[in-house]
Amino acid sequence: MTPTDIADDSAELLPIATGARTRAALRTLIRPDRGRAILGLGVLVGATAVGLLVQPLLGRIVDIVADGRPADALTLPVVLLLVVAVVQGVTTTLGLTQVARLGETVLARLREQFIERALQLPADRLERAGAGDLTARVTGDVARVAEAVRSALPEMARSVLAIVLTLGAMALLDVRFLLAALLAVPVQALTARWYVTRAVTVYADQRVANGAQQQQLLETIGGAVTVRGHRLEEQHTEKSAARSRRAVELTMRSVHLVLGFYARLHIAEYIGLAAVLVTGFFLVRDGSVSIGTATAAALYFHSLFGPVNAALVLLDDAQSAAAGLARLVGVTDLQASTGLKASTGLQESTDLKASAVRLPHQRTTSDAAVTVDAVSHAYGPGRTVLHEVSLTLRAGEHVALVGTSGAGKSTLARLVAGVQQPTGGTVSVAEGKTAPSVVLVTQEVHVFTGTLAEDLRLARPEATDADLRTALATVHALEWAEALPEGLATVVGEGGHRLDPARAQQLALARLVLADPPVAVLDEATAEAGSAGARTLERSAEAALAGRTALVVAHRLTQAVAADRIVVLEAGRVVESGTHDELRTADGPYATLWHAWSGSRAAPHL
């Protein structure tokens, strides 16, 4: 895959929903608020109808002046104009308020559903797509849909109503005025078709290009140390520049598209207004209509400039928002296709430090907490990482997973935790009395922005301060937590008090204690501490796992020594299983790993 090949990039990106699927999703979002939609539309119809009285009243004033009538004859039409202005202002405000509330409600519902579904996506699918694609959808696409809902939706509703009712009013004056005005329609229709057929592709490609650009920037910035270490600065700069050029190229195409769009609209306006004025001239000359009526017809058509242009211009926002909405719905559909639906009872957190997952439970043997039955997993064609792995964890047993890098340890841990679903076989977890049933803690350190107490309560929102202190004390973190500037009320995370990796990991282990699951999975959860803090974190992890069934991906073999049983993986298969002493004397793969790791050192006394 080359840096500039956006088509190849999109093959790994999250899917985009079809137009039909997007429209169906939109109808579903609006359905709970149909009453508000009808009310808002009805009030706007009334406001627009009242506003259409302005042109006939102005025409009446023209006739009064043309006929040389007394000045007091102008009183009634002028007063009526004031009344129309007040009524139209009030009703328009009420109608737009209802439409705006509808839009904000639908937008909030869309955001909630997107976040809910995105959190349930399999981790391997997100990894293949890259952080940039999901980030672009969460930020750029949601922002475009929000902008359309807040500005385009109310204006579009009002513009369409104004166009329809104004054309009807012109027909009431004289149908020939309507026929003259309709001469502009073919040009406007061709303009709209010309724009829409091009805009759909341009905006969709632009969203993909922006996602690819963000992904490249995230990879370059996030891996800056590695990039510099391998002297890859020039290569990554060229990749970033290539994707940026692609994004700029598509942006300029959209700008030229909009300029051509406006030019064609001006031609349509000229044709229509000229036709109405010429028609009015002949009708007045023949005595078919008065000067005031011809004036009202011309004013009606002139008043269409704003609504028609607004409606057509809003196609730009509509197309951009539709492209963004299709990308959001695409994530929803991908989630649905995985089978991880809310109806299964599965709950998953994005916190990779303590992701709480409730698996679709299956019955296990009486003393088994977790049963892995002939599980296989592949990240794509030809990328199978686990081959029919079977494993049983007895209640309260601590099992350590050991193996070389790439053996499939982390994948098996994620499958047991429910973060990913196996492509073959089953993972069954015994029904527990608490929720969630399984909690996963990984080596990736993340501290959420907020107070330390709020960060801890992610695992148990109803926890008291005493509960929080107990959890921190359990993992040997209470001393430093209370020493923070404001104790549990200290703001941590982005822009707050910085926690080093060891303390951040203790925070994750404290959340594990608060969640209190019967089964815990640790995926190299003490790896980020470094040698200085390794023993402290291992003590914290041991305390957090006390009384639970545990599957531990061992970063250090001291963790394997302390486990009740050790399972050795090689190339995605279980090759050994037993205690430390049994495997160390068996002269197998574990013995080789142990001798290579320990060297001349004696086994630690634990």
Side-chain angles (χ1 to χ4, degrees):
M1 180 175 66
T2 64
T4 56
D5 193 346
I6 301 300
D8 289 345
D9 286 339
S10 64
E12 285 296 318
L13 298 181
L14 296 168
I16 300 174
T18 63
R21 178 68 192 97
T22 302
R23 290 188 294 273
L26 186 58
R27 288 193 296 270
T28 301
L29 288 169
I30 295 175
R31 188 173 296 121
D33 295 284
R34 284 177 295 183
R36 176 171 290 166
I38 294 172
L39 175 61
L41 183 61
V43 175
L44 282 179
V45 168
T48 305
V50 170
L52 292 177
L53 296 175
V54 171
Q55 288 83 357
L57 288 173
L58 291 174
R60 179 63 177 168
I61 292 174
V62 170
D63 283 337
I64 290 173
V65 174
D67 294 342
R69 298 180 189 178
D72 58 0
L74 296 174
T75 303
L76 180 60
V78 169
V79 171
L80 290 176
L81 283 174
L82 292 176
V83 173
V84 167
V86 172
V87 173
Q88 184 182 25
V90 172
T91 53
T92 299
T93 300
L94 292 175
L96 290 179
T97 298
Q98 291 299 319
V99 173
R101 286 180 178 174
L102 171 66
E104 290 296 333
T105 302
V106 170
L107 177 61
R109 190 175 294 123
L110 171 64
R111 282 174 167 164
E112 291 170 359
Q113 289 186 5
F114 175 78
I115 294 299
E116 178 185 358
R117 304 296 172 82
L119 293 181
Q120 295 178 352
L121 288 177
D124 56 326
R125 185 63 185 89
L126 291 178
E127 289 171 356
R128 292 201 307 273
D133 184 33
L134 189 60
T135 300
R137 298 186 191 221
V138 172
T139 55
D141 292 323
V142 170
R144 282 175 174 80
V145 174
E147 182 180 358
V149 165
R150 290 170 181 155
S151 59
L153 177 61
E155 187 62 30
M156 176 67 84
R158 187 170 62 170
S159 297
V160 171
L161 287 174
I163 293 169
V164 173
L165 295 180
T166 300
L167 291 176
M170 292 184 72
L172 290 177
L173 293 178
D174 192 299
V175 71
R176 286 168 288 189
F177 285 125
L178 174 61
L179 295 176
L182 292 179
L183 291 177
V185 172
V187 178
Q188 292 168 335
L190 290 174
T191 298
R193 181 180 178 184
W194 173 85
Y195 177 77
V196 169
T197 55
R198 288 162 176 78
V200 171
T201 303
V202 170
Y203 285 120
D205 289 346
Q206 192 175 12
R207 297 286 82 76
V208 172
N210 288 339
Q213 181 190 32
Q214 286 196 30
Q215 177 64 29
Q216 182 60 48
L217 291 175
L218 286 172
E219 289 178 352
T220 301
I221 295 172
V225 175
T226 303
V227 169
R228 286 195 296 269
H230 290 275
R231 306 291 185 185
L232 297 174
E233 296 94 335
E234 185 176 341
Q235 180 181 349
H236 274 256
T237 299
E238 176 53 35
K239 286 181 178 180
S240 298
R243 294 188 177 183
S244 296
R245 284 194 297 270
R246 176 61 173 164
V248 170
E249 174 191 339
L250 289 169
T251 299
M252 293 308 300
R253 282 178 57 187
S254 67
V255 169
H256 287 115
L257 193 64
V258 171
L259 291 176
F261 177 70
Y262 279 113
R264 287 166 171 79
L265 286 184
H266 294 327
I267 295 173
E269 291 172 358
Y270 173 80
I271 292 173
L273 184 57
V276 171
L277 289 174
V278 171
T279 301
F281 171 79
F282 285 109
L283 291 178
V284 171
R285 189 186 67 176
D286 295 340
S288 299
V289 299
S290 67
I291 296 177
T293 302
T295 301
L299 290 174
Y300 270 137
F301 187 82
H302 189 271
S303 70
L304 286 175
F305 286 7
V308 169
N309 288 351
L312 294 179
V313 167
L314 287 175
L315 287 173
D316 180 66
D317 293 335
Q319 292 302 317
S320 181
L325 182 60
R327 284 162 56 81
L328 299 179
V329 175
V331 172
T332 298
D333 286 347
L334 177 61
Q335 184 276 334
S337 69
T338 66
L340 303 180
K341 299 180 181 179
S343 60
T344 66
L346 183 146
Q347 299 173 348
E348 182 176 323
S349 167
T350 53
D351 178 16
L352 294 181
K353 309 317 308 144
S355 333
V357 182
R358 180 183 294 239
L359 294 172
H361 292 132
Q362 301 178 23
R363 292 293 180 185
T364 63
T365 58
S366 58
D367 64 341
V370 178
T371 301
V372 179
D373 185 16
V375 162
S376 298
H377 190 74
Y379 289 101
R383 298 176 58 194
T384 302
V385 293
L386 290 177
H387 305 270
E388 297 187 352
V389 172
S390 294
L391 175 66
T392 299
L393 276 67
R394 295 182 296 275
E397 184 182 25
H398 290 186
V399 175
L401 283 180
V402 173
T404 57
S405 178
K409 305 185 298 297
S410 293
T411 299
L412 181 57
R414 290 185 176 190
L415 295 178
V416 171
V419 175
Q420 294 174 208
Q421 299 299 299
T423 53
T426 60
V427 176
S428 304
V429 178
E431 195 71 42
K433 296 181 180 180
T434 62
S437 298
V438 185
V439 163
L440 168 67
V441 181
T442 76
Q443 64 177 325
E444 299 175 17
V445 178
H446 182 74
V447 179
F448 290 92
T449 300
T451 66
L452 183 65
E454 290 171 342
D455 207 308
L456 288 166
R457 286 194 175 97
L458 290 170
R460 198 203 305 171
E462 73 280 4
T464 64
D465 286 352
D467 294 331
L468 303 185
R469 290 188 173 88
T470 299
L472 289 169
T474 300
V475 298
H476 312 291
L478 182 60
E479 182 178 351
W480 65 256
E482 292 188 328
L484 293 175
E486 298 179 58
L488 295 179
T490 301
V491 176
V492 295
E494 188 71 25
H497 187 88
R498 182 182 178 276
L499 299 182
D500 61 40
R503 290 182 174 181
Q505 197 64 282
Q506 283 182 311
L507 183 60
L509 292 170
R511 287 198 291 265
L512 167 63
V513 174
L514 286 167
D516 195 24
V519 180
V521 179
L522 270 59
D523 185 4
E524 298 188 351
T526 63
E528 293 292 332
S531 57
R535 184 54 190 154
T536 299
L537 264 187
E538 287 180 6
R539 287 176 58 237
S540 299
E542 290 169 7
L545 295 179
R548 312 181 200 283
T549 305
L551 180 66
V552 179
V553 177
H555 175 68
R556 296 175 178 85
L557 290 187
T558 51
Q559 296 170 294
V561 175
D564 299 319
R565 182 159 51 101
I566 300 168
V567 173
V568 183
L569 289 179
E570 273 192 3
R573 293 181 170 85
V574 175
V575 294
E576 279 189 308
S577 179
T579 66
H580 167 73
D581 290 334
E582 291 172 347
L583 297 183
R584 186 168 57 86
T585 59
D587 198 26
Y590 178 78
T592 302
L593 289 173
W594 174 258
H595 292 309
W597 181 83
S598 61
S600 59
R601 292 174 293 177
H605 178 70
L606 298 174

